[in-house]
Amino acid sequence: MHLQDPEGFTIHEPGSKKIKHGVLVSLGPHHEWSGNGHDKLAAIGFPIWGVHDVWSGKWLGLWVVPNNRRQKAVALLFLHLINEYGGQPSITMTSDSGL
């Protein structure tokens, strides 16, 4: 990965900048899931999309998909999680805009 994106490693090096994090509010496990696409490996053909439980921080699923910005791929993976966990989060599912 250093060969693929050396500038990305410099930017994310510990101590290179301060990241401000907001207060995390969640009522409990499976009350909110958060989905996000990860593009670090997309340039070499491995776009990743994942969902984690906000309360516990546990990854519920990580998948390598053809395109992590396609609505149909994300919807299919969300339905897969609903089937696997026997239901959807009791409050909400959040995701970035994919841009």
Side-chain angles (χ1 to χ4, degrees):
M1 287 178 36
H2 281 284
L3 295 174
Q4 183 65 31
D5 189 12
E7 185 177 312
F9 278 88
T10 304
I11 292 170
H12 293 94
E13 186 175 342
S16 63
K17 64 180 178 179
K18 294 283 184 181
I19 298 173
K20 295 179 182 178
H21 296 284
V23 177
L24 177 64
V25 177
S26 185
L27 300 177
H30 299 293
H31 279 250
E32 181 180 355
W33 292 349
S34 179
N36 198 359
H38 303 275
D39 293 324
K40 181 65 109 177
L41 300 175
I44 58 172
F46 298 105
I48 299 169
W49 195 77
V51 175
H52 76 276
D53 180 55
V54 172
W55 184 79
S56 67
K58 175 186 174 190
W59 284 101
L60 304 175
L62 281 170
W63 301 273
V64 175
V65 293
N67 186 337
N68 62 12
R69 296 179 184 201
R70 300 284 305 234
Q71 291 176 348
K72 289 182 181 180
V74 171
L76 180 67
L77 297 173
F78 179 68
L79 291 174
H80 172 76
L81 280 178
I82 288 174
N83 186 44
E84 184 177 332
Y85 285 94
Q88 63 186 18
S90 59
I91 293 182
T92 188
M93 167 74 181
T94 59
S95 181
D96 64 3
S97 62
L99 300 175

